[in-house]
Amino acid sequence: MISCVNRTSFVMVHVGRSTEAQRNLRHGIETRSWGFPRWKPEFHSARPRFAVLGTGVAPRVPFDEWATKRITLYFFEVVAAFHNAESRHWPNEEAENAIKYPVRFGIEPLAELHDIPLDATGPLSLAGSDALRLSGIEQGIGKLVELDPQPLFDAASISIRWADGGVVPLGSTPGILADQVAAPKAPRRRRRGAGFISDPKKRRAIELRAEDMAVEHYQREGWTVERLGKPYDLHCTRNGEVRCVEVKGTTGAATSVELTVNEVEHARKPHNTVDLYVLSDIKVDVRSEPYVASGGRVTHLKGWEPADEDLRPRSFEYRLPPT
């Protein structure tokens, strides 16, 4: 029997197999965001710790039939609570020029699991499995349920003992890349991790919006601000004090950001005082020329020093053997 002490709140989400649904799934993984077409009363006070997105099985069947199937799961930590959308975000929202998913929350990918049984032998338990099915019946709107996450950690080969403290070091998880999601008939582009935008004009508009907001913030506080770009974005001085500011912008949620090795090493040097300024949920109007970015939610970390447990390697340098 599972102890109630080990349980925590999950939001279970069924994702359809249509081209549009799978394209949105890839985009959600890429930008660390998910959303629903309408609010439910329980969402206003809910703070789920984890999210599970499941795809590959039709939900409109009795539970007894559903439980005989096997499914692909995407396991996430929820790092930004449910909130109202401020801009278009998903590909079909951009195409239709409308916000279709006004309920948003931020997700950090932990692991992808394939061929997972939906019966009592699987890591979801019967309650979690049925919540996933019911989500599919309700147009993919999330279902809240209390589960023990340990079976999911075990299934994903993540070396965490949830009962020992309830902490998930990012470096202990494999993560999920958007390219891991296969969608029929959908164009495939190379993804590079959290918040990467392939359109250079859109990416530049996002960067400028975040940087402009950061400059405005520090100037309001009496700092003299110089834009550098490298080795960090903003050099701020005030009464002999110096702050180095890394600025990141994204159209997605404030969950994680990409860092270079140099950015991490610079922030960790004892003589540097570094702030991290992140502007998320940025709105970009791609119909104008140049693109116009607006809005955004601020996450501001002062005296920032990235810890090992909050970092996950995304690439390696390989030394070739001598010839």
Side-chain angles (χ1 to χ4, degrees):
M1 181 177 294
I2 297 174
S3 169
C4 291
V5 175
N6 296 337
R7 292 176 181 263
T8 191
S9 179
F10 276 71
V11 56
M12 311 297 291
V13 183
H14 183 276
V15 180
R17 291 181 287 185
S18 69
T19 297
E20 179 179 271
Q22 293 293 301
R23 187 178 295 127
N24 282 347
L25 175 58
R26 292 203 311 278
H27 189 72
I29 292 171
E30 179 187 15
T31 60
R32 284 23 182 187
S33 300
W34 199 250
F36 303 134
R38 66 177 184 273
W39 281 90
K40 297 177 71 174
E42 57 265 34
F43 290 165
H44 292 282
S45 59
R47 292 300 299 259
R49 182 67 190 273
F50 297 104
V52 172
L53 275 59
T55 188
V57 178
R60 296 184 181 278
V61 295
F63 180 72
D64 288 348
E65 180 179 343
W66 165 269
T68 65
K69 309 295 184 180
R70 304 177 80 88
I71 198 168
T72 296
L73 300 178
Y74 299 93
F75 183 26
F76 303 87
E77 186 174 20
V78 177
V79 294
F82 295 122
H83 58 273
N84 280 307
E86 297 179 355
S87 62
R88 301 182 302 276
H89 179 68
W90 274 269
N92 58 343
E93 290 185 326
E94 294 287 0
E96 299 176 30
N97 193 29
I99 295 177
K100 299 185 66 175
Y101 312 105
V103 186
R104 303 273 173 86
F105 59 104
I107 51 177
E108 180 60 43
L110 300 180
E112 178 184 24
L113 298 91
H114 289 286
D115 200 33
I116 299 300
L118 287 166
D119 60 14
T121 67
L124 295 181
S125 79
L126 294 181
S129 176
D130 198 35
L132 199 59
R133 180 183 70 94
L134 294 174
S135 168
I137 293 173
E138 294 189 24
Q139 298 179 296
I141 297 176
K143 286 286 186 179
L144 298 173
V145 65
E146 295 283 319
L147 299 175
D148 181 1
Q150 191 62 54
L152 282 163
F153 290 135
D154 294 342
S157 299
I158 297 174
S159 299
I160 292 174
R161 299 306 304 171
W162 179 252
D164 292 343
V167 177
V168 184
L170 192 62
S172 68
T173 68
I176 309 167
L177 295 177
D179 270 346
Q180 293 174 237
V181 181
K185 304 178 185 177
R188 293 180 63 82
R189 298 176 295 158
R190 182 163 182 80
R191 309 289 188 175
R192 289 178 47 187
F196 179 74
I197 303 294
S198 61
D199 182 341
K201 292 191 292 185
K202 186 174 183 180
R203 186 167 65 248
R204 183 57 181 157
I206 292 167
E207 291 170 350
L208 284 175
R209 172 63 180 171
E211 192 171 282
D212 288 346
M213 289 287 286
V215 169
E216 183 180 320
H217 168 82
Y218 282 94
Q219 287 179 338
R220 279 200 311 267
E221 293 194 342
W223 296 86
T224 299
V225 181
E226 179 184 2
R227 300 183 192 233
L228 294 182
K230 291 182 180 181
Y232 49 91
D233 295 301
L234 305 179
H235 183 76
C236 302
T237 56
R238 184 181 65 183
N239 300 327
E241 184 181 359
V242 176
R243 283 191 176 270
C244 313
V245 184
E246 289 288 352
V247 180
K248 303 291 182 180
T250 177
T251 58
T255 58
S256 60
V257 294
E258 286 193 346
L259 300 172
T260 66
V261 172
N262 287 340
E263 288 170 342
V264 172
E265 290 180 348
H266 179 264
R268 286 177 163 179
K269 289 180 179 178
H271 61 274
N272 291 336
T273 301
V274 180
D275 293 354
L276 178 64
Y277 186 99
V278 179
L279 191 67
S280 58
D281 296 296
I282 297 173
K283 178 180 179 180
V284 182
D285 185 353
V286 299
R287 296 167 297 177
S288 61
E289 187 60 46
Y291 293 176
V292 176
S294 60
R297 294 169 174 261
V298 175
T299 301
H300 193 192
L301 305 180
K302 296 183 178 181
W304 169 64
E305 295 182 25
D308 286 343
E309 60 266 26
D310 295 324
L311 296 170
R312 179 165 53 203
R314 281 298 187 196
S315 62
F316 297 91
E317 179 181 354
Y318 173 66
R319 183 177 60 188
L320 296 172
T323 57

